[in-house]
Amino acid sequence: MRTIGTQALLTLISHFIFIFVAFWSIQKLHIENVMRLYPTQARVLIVMLSVAVGYTCSSFFLNFIDNVRNLIYMFK
């Protein structure tokens, strides 16, 4: 049970870190300048894109690490 809790905590931390990095990166694109008439919607778009990109990247890296760990069973 303890390893499941540790894995859940690691997953949450990974998701939040990748979402933060995606948010930081997407802000540099200055989408709000393109959408001058809709600044509130531009901010919401930035947040939604950040969550989508960050979650996807985090899931990829967590699955990659999990698959590399499972390669051991192929050679036993």
Side-chain angles (χ1 to χ4, degrees):
M1 287 303 266
R2 191 171 182 99
T3 57
I4 294 172
T6 304
Q7 186 176 3
L9 183 64
L10 178 68
T11 300
L12 284 173
I13 290 171
S14 173
H15 288 333
F16 281 125
I17 288 173
F18 275 93
I19 288 170
F20 173 76
V21 170
F23 180 75
W24 176 71
S25 299
I26 291 173
Q27 275 187 326
K28 302 301 179 191
L29 294 176
H30 299 290
I31 294 173
E32 60 274 355
N33 290 343
V34 175
M35 298 177 63
R36 279 184 219 112
L37 299 176
Y38 308 104
T40 306
Q41 285 86 350
R43 290 186 199 113
V44 171
L45 178 64
I46 290 171
V47 170
M48 298 296 278
L49 283 173
S50 300
V51 171
V53 171
Y55 177 79
T56 304
C57 290
S58 176
S59 295
F60 169 76
F61 281 108
L62 289 172
N63 285 332
F64 182 78
I65 291 168
D66 192 39
N67 287 332
V68 168
R69 279 190 353 209
N70 289 335
L71 278 176
I72 297 169
Y73 300 114
M74 187 173 169
F75 300 110
K76 281 189 175 185

